[in-house]
Amino acid sequence: MLTTSARLLRLLSLLQSRPHWPGTTLAADIGVHPRTLRRDIERLRELGYPIQASSGVAGGYAFRAGRALPPLLLDDEEALAAALALRTAVTGTISGIEQTAITALVKLEQVMPARLRRRLDALRTAILPIDQTGPMVDAGLLATLAGACRDQLQLRFDYADRQGQPSRRQVEPQGVVHAERRWYLVAWDTLRLDWRTFRIDRMTSAPEVGAHFRPRPSPANGDLRAFVSQSLSLGPYGDEARVILHAPIDIVRERIPASAGMLEAVDAQRCLLRCGAHPQGPVVYWLLALELEFEVLGPPALHAMMRAAGARVARSLARADGDPGALRK
């Protein structure tokens, strides 16, 4: 005879395996009297599981959707299938659910037995993604980082910046953010005493999980996505480009990614774009590609690059018109 707890788990697993169970069949499978089955059904209802009962010849029990999602019981094959699907979503193959997928993956892999972890790793290495955009990041690494954020554990890792310069970092991780088809770790850098964003694909060593740390107030009032977007748009540059765009801010937001710059409304018909000004090449590209009227407020280097770009366009048009003087310039 199973204990009450084990019997309830067995009953819950059976109820979730098919849409309807005859009462006598369900009681026989568990090995209890129908009266005991009814009491167990009531216990599950008290725990929040939506179980409906019907009477008559075809009467029995059915697991139905309720107001909230109750805990689910998965067998080995179901757990593997769910973990593989979540790892696929985490890598950004499915747009819009990456952030939620990683939290679900952390919960699932935390309780997964070692034998299933080995099978999951074997399946993962045998499945190759097609048309992957952006750098590949291992889902296991993301799960480790997200777990450290959740449990407030320090991390140490080797890191290479955008110039390839190596460094050793010790951080207090705050969150993992997916932005512009890349993954970023938002963390407090204990050596630089400031918040930093780290591109996860630039971590050159496996992170070492350290001691517990006391949480501190999050940057950007807890909006880590906004913090990453601001970090990407302004960047570690000495100058800041400031450009007035002659279009409502809502229209401009639809035409440029959040990482391109920070937008502020000037009035109903204009907005201010602020972004990192070095290198200015991408700024010039965005301004020309937007097909909007604009005014460059600064810095002077951006003015010079815009003049040079305008001169190249003028020379190109002159050549197309057959101006011999343009060919000599």
Side-chain angles (χ1 to χ4, degrees):
M1 176 67 70
L2 296 173
T3 64
T4 302
S5 298
R7 194 172 67 242
L8 290 177
L9 289 175
R10 171 66 176 163
L11 173 58
L12 186 57
S13 178
L14 290 174
L15 286 169
Q16 293 177 354
S17 65
R18 51 195 269 191
H20 182 269
W21 277 91
T24 54
T25 303
L26 190 56
D29 277 17
I30 299 176
V32 297
H33 192 275
R35 287 194 300 270
T36 303
L37 175 63
R38 288 194 292 271
R39 287 195 296 268
D40 288 346
I41 292 291
E42 286 303 318
R43 291 190 180 99
L44 290 177
R45 287 171 174 166
E46 291 173 358
L47 293 173
Y49 292 97
I51 303 171
Q52 293 182 354
S54 57
S55 57
V57 177
Y61 300 96
F63 196 92
R64 294 289 184 256
R67 295 181 180 179
L69 180 66
L72 302 176
L73 295 180
L74 303 176
D75 61 25
D76 287 2
E77 301 305 320
E78 292 169 338
L80 284 173
L84 279 174
L86 287 171
R87 286 191 176 217
T88 300
V90 160
T91 58
T93 306
I94 304 172
S95 176
I97 64 170
E98 304 92 343
Q99 208 71 35
T100 307
I102 192 173
T103 59
L105 181 62
V106 168
K107 292 179 181 179
L108 181 58
E109 292 198 352
Q110 183 181 15
V111 298
M112 186 175 286
R115 55 185 172 80
L116 289 185
R117 286 176 182 269
R118 290 191 292 270
R119 290 182 60 188
L120 177 61
D121 290 337
L123 287 170
R124 178 178 56 83
T125 56
I127 298 175
L128 300 178
I130 299 176
D131 296 333
Q132 176 66 30
T133 305
M136 291 287 292
V137 175
D138 182 70
L141 171 59
L142 290 173
T144 298
L145 298 176
C149 295
R150 178 198 60 198
D151 299 334
Q152 297 169 0
L153 298 173
Q154 288 186 347
L155 291 171
R156 290 182 296 275
F157 53 86
D158 295 324
Y159 188 74
D161 63 16
R162 67 180 63 210
Q163 285 79 34
Q165 295 298 318
S167 61
R168 181 70 171 172
R169 302 300 183 101
Q170 178 170 310
V171 302
E172 297 175 355
Q174 183 71 20
V176 177
V177 176
H178 187 264
E180 300 300 320
R181 297 178 178 177
R182 288 176 172 82
W183 282 99
Y184 296 87
L185 174 69
V186 179
W188 176 265
D189 193 311
T190 59
L191 298 179
R192 292 158 180 81
L193 300 179
D194 196 7
W195 291 103
R196 291 287 192 270
T197 59
F198 300 94
R199 258 182 57 174
I200 295 177
D201 61 289
R202 289 180 178 158
M203 292 182 179
T204 58
S205 69
E208 302 172 10
V209 180
H212 184 272
F213 64 87
R214 179 176 297 179
R216 62 182 74 244
S218 299
N221 296 319
D223 190 346
L224 298 186
R225 285 184 179 272
F227 178 75
V228 171
S229 294
Q230 181 175 355
S231 300
L232 295 179
S233 61
L234 298 182
Y237 307 127
D239 291 327
E240 179 182 276
R242 293 172 291 109
V243 182
I244 298 292
L245 301 175
H246 289 242
I249 189 170
D250 292 338
I251 299 298
V252 176
R253 279 177 176 156
E254 294 176 356
R255 299 175 66 174
I256 66 173
S259 61
M262 303 295 293
L263 291 172
E264 302 172 10
V266 175
D267 52 39
Q269 299 300 321
R270 299 181 302 165
C271 60
L272 172 67
L273 170 66
R274 297 167 47 231
C275 58
H278 179 74
Q280 286 93 0
V283 181
V284 175
Y285 166 79
W286 279 113
L287 292 177
L288 296 178
L290 283 174
E291 297 183 350
L292 295 174
E293 296 295 322
F294 59 87
E295 306 165 36
V296 176
L297 303 182
L302 183 54
H303 281 280
M305 292 197 69
M306 294 300 301
R307 291 191 189 96
R312 286 196 300 272
V313 172
R315 289 194 296 271
S316 173
L317 292 175
R319 293 187 185 100
D321 294 336
D323 181 0
L327 299 176
R328 295 191 295 267
K329 294 181 181 178

